[in-house]
Amino acid sequence: TVIWGQSLKFFDENIKFKNIKNALELGSGNYCGYSLYFSSKLIDTICSNPYGDFESAKKIHSNYDFSEKIKYEKIDALDIPYENKFDCISFKSVMGILGNQEERFKNFDAQKKMIVNISKALKKGGYLIFAENLKGSKFHQYIINKYGWGKNYRGWRYFSINDYFDIVGGDFTLLNYKTTGVVGNFVSRKEIPFKENIKRILGTIDIFLFDKILKEDSRYVIFSVFQKN
């Protein structure tokens, strides 16, 4: 959360939320965090994923009165059933798992199809915002493709900064982006004692040291804000 949680401050700094009346979160997981984020700003929000499983998210959201602004829908990011509907669409860690396993590492077809669907569902001037995984350094790539979610180049696909800009394409104007995270993701095994405390420490070191001294393509997370033309 130290690394990924920075996205909220970044979005606050780059979006005019007073103009946003409704929003959609795609590919939401167990926490559906961006749906809660939108609803805290009293924005009418649809929380969605392709499975229709929201049990854990609803338990978390029920702790907040403003979560009454959230509705839950089963939506596939590759087939969004709305047109000219939303002022803002968000997602976190979605693009790398799109498409069938055989094709995922060969092209951007599934990712670009997702963006076409998002563009269709957004109003003109609406925001596309996301927090996604980056390739990072050569060392990151070695670790994630040998031991991590991208193991043997058959699991999760990790993109470069320019890959994301290419995928989003000409329907949108890039307003701003930020990269962060260098060592914070190297603690993942469940059996490691005090894992979450270690991750918070490493994440803090990233923010105050490595993010400042290393190039942006050495980092493993990107936050982006685009606006529909």
Side-chain angles (χ1 to χ4, degrees):
T1 56
V2 172
I3 295 298
W4 293 91
Q6 293 179 75
S7 64
L8 304 183
K9 181 174 184 292
F10 177 79
F11 296 149
D12 280 344
E13 292 171 346
N14 289 279
I15 296 173
K16 297 178 181 178
F17 278 102
K18 65 179 181 180
N19 297 329
I20 296 178
K21 305 301 181 185
N22 53 63
L24 168 66
E25 180 182 7
L26 292 169
S28 56
N30 291 331
Y31 302 101
C32 304
Y34 289 151
S35 293
L36 197 62
Y37 171 62
F38 290 138
S39 69
S40 73
K41 299 177 182 297
L42 303 183
I43 296 169
D44 291 323
T45 303
I46 294 178
C47 174
S48 77
N49 62 47
Y51 313 109
D53 181 5
F54 304 103
E55 182 178 354
S56 62
K58 287 180 178 180
K59 288 181 180 178
I60 295 170
H61 293 175
S62 65
N63 293 314
Y64 303 89
D65 291 340
F66 49 74
S67 68
E68 294 179 355
K69 304 291 286 185
I70 302 175
K71 295 181 179 180
Y72 304 87
E73 289 188 23
K74 180 180 178 179
I75 296 176
D76 188 334
L78 300 178
D79 187 23
I80 302 172
Y82 291 99
E83 292 188 25
N84 194 34
K85 166 74 173 177
F86 299 102
D87 299 308
C88 186
I89 295 179
S90 72
F91 57 88
K92 174 191 173 294
S93 299
V94 171
M95 282 195 176
I97 202 64
L98 290 177
N100 65 66
Q101 197 173 72
E102 182 179 351
E103 295 292 330
R104 189 174 303 144
F105 290 86
K106 294 182 179 179
N107 52 54
F108 296 157
D109 290 356
Q111 288 74 22
K112 288 187 175 182
K113 183 178 180 180
M114 176 182 174
I115 297 300
V116 169
N117 272 267
I118 288 173
S119 180
K120 179 188 71 174
L122 271 174
K123 299 175 185 176
K124 183 178 181 180
Y127 295 101
L128 162 60
I129 68 176
F130 59 81
E132 278 284 345
N133 306 272
L134 283 172
K135 284 183 176 180
S137 65
K138 294 292 185 182
F139 182 65
H140 283 106
Q141 292 172 47
Y142 171 78
I143 294 296
I144 61 182
N145 288 312
K146 189 171 180 63
Y147 304 106
W149 290 109
K151 190 174 182 180
N152 300 322
Y153 295 92
R154 292 186 57 82
W156 197 282
R157 183 175 179 182
Y158 293 82
F159 299 101
S160 69
I161 298 170
N162 286 332
D163 286 342
Y164 283 114
F165 297 163
D166 182 22
I167 289 166
V168 174
D171 280 0
F172 294 88
T173 297
L174 175 66
L175 298 185
N176 203 359
Y177 76 97
K178 175 183 178 180
T179 66
T180 184
V182 178
V183 299
N185 71 332
F186 287 138
V187 181
S188 59
R189 296 180 66 88
K190 293 181 179 179
E191 62 270 23
I192 294 177
F194 309 110
K195 182 185 72 171
E196 292 304 319
N197 289 335
I198 295 172
K199 287 169 69 175
R200 280 191 284 271
I201 292 170
L202 293 178
T204 302
I205 292 172
D206 277 345
I207 293 170
F208 291 101
L209 179 60
F210 291 123
D211 282 356
K212 297 181 184 301
I213 64 176
L214 296 179
K215 295 180 179 179
E216 64 179 12
D217 58 6
S218 296
R219 304 167 195 162
Y220 64 86
V221 175
I222 183 170
F223 312 137
S224 297
V225 174
F226 291 84
Q227 191 166 30
K228 183 179 176 181
N229 297 327

